[in-house]
Amino acid sequence: AEDISDFDIVLVKRQKIFSQDPNTVFQLALKVVEGSNAGGVTPVVKHFPGLGRARYDTHTCLPKINVSKKELYATDLLPFKKLIEENVNFWIMVDHAIYPCLDNKPASLSSKIQTDVLRRELGFGGIIMVDELLNMQAIKEYAFQKEIRGPYIGKIVAMAFQAGADIAIVYPL
């Protein structure tokens, strides 16, 4: 999170943020991954590329994370990069926010984010999954903006896979 005391940030309000310091986030995430692995569990680390700045919830709208590429790499991506370098066993969940410094599509539908950044630049070889697609308002908004008419879920799921996802979550109504 930009500011761990700013309760206007959705994940801070819900107490789902480890820290505003990327190195602390890495250390804590590493311990969670190592502990999970020791118990025979593969954890899912989320939300790539970094939903901690979002002031709006992807369940209720399509947030834009307006941050420079330099800042995104130095803060939000750093814990993911370091976890990848540790060569521990985990999956990554990609969020639905738009990061204009990387692409004009939601991260969950962006090959620039999933394939170019996560796979090629950061070297992640594990499973990429995208957050729930059918009932998230962020995806509904994006489909509406791009005039993808209902039922849109087939096209959206195909877009997630084309972007690089291995698993697309769809919760039926």
Side-chain angles (χ1 to χ4, degrees), residues 49-63:
L51 200 52
R53 297 172 186 277
R55 298 203 172 269
Y56 304 102
D57 186 346
T58 57
H59 291 88
T60 60
C61 72
L62 177 59

Side-chain angles (χ1 to χ4, degrees), residues 4-172:
I4 201 73
S5 62
D6 185 348
F7 285 92
D8 286 336
I9 297 172
V10 174
L11 295 177
V12 170
K13 184 181 347 185
R14 293 189 179 163
Q15 298 180 341
K16 293 185 174 187
I17 298 282
F18 280 146
S19 173
Q20 66 192 47
D21 174 48
N23 289 304
T24 300
V25 171
F26 160 67
Q27 290 295 326
L28 293 171
L30 178 60
K31 294 303 177 191
V32 169
V33 170
E34 289 174 338
S36 298
N37 288 174
V41 174
T42 300
V44 178
V45 177
K46 58 184 191 174
H47 289 90
F48 188 84
L51 200 52
R53 297 172 186 277
R55 298 203 172 269
Y56 304 102
D57 186 346
T58 57
H59 291 88
T60 60
C61 72
L62 177 59
K64 278 190 182 174
I65 309 297
N66 290 310
V67 62
S68 72
K69 188 173 181 177
K70 181 179 178 182
E71 178 74 10
L72 188 72
Y73 274 74
T75 56
D76 303 57
L77 294 183
L78 189 65
F80 293 102
K81 180 180 187 297
K82 287 184 167 191
L83 274 177
I84 292 165
E85 290 169 352
E86 287 292 321
N87 202 30
V88 288
N89 183 27
F90 65 98
W91 295 2
I92 288 181
M93 180 181 284
V94 178
D95 69 54
H96 299 313
I98 293 177
Y99 299 80
C101 68
L102 298 176
D103 198 358
N104 61 357
K105 295 179 183 176
S108 56
L109 306 178
S110 169
S111 63
K112 290 178 184 175
I113 292 172
Q114 292 182 52
T115 300
D116 295 348
V117 174
L118 185 52
R119 291 274 191 224
R120 292 188 184 125
E121 288 182 39
L122 300 182
F124 183 66
I127 300 292
I128 297 174
M129 63 189 313
V130 295
D131 208 344
E132 204 281 324
L133 292 166
L134 182 61
N135 298 302
M136 290 285 208
Q137 188 61 34
I139 293 300
K140 291 177 182 179
E141 265 185 56
Y142 184 76
F144 180 79
Q145 289 172 6
K146 297 300 176 185
E147 298 182 359
I148 302 169
R149 298 292 174 227
Y152 63 86
I153 193 60
K155 181 154 177 76
I156 293 293
V157 169
M159 291 170 71
F161 287 133
Q162 289 166 349
D166 298 298
I167 297 173
I169 300 173
V170 177
Y171 297 133

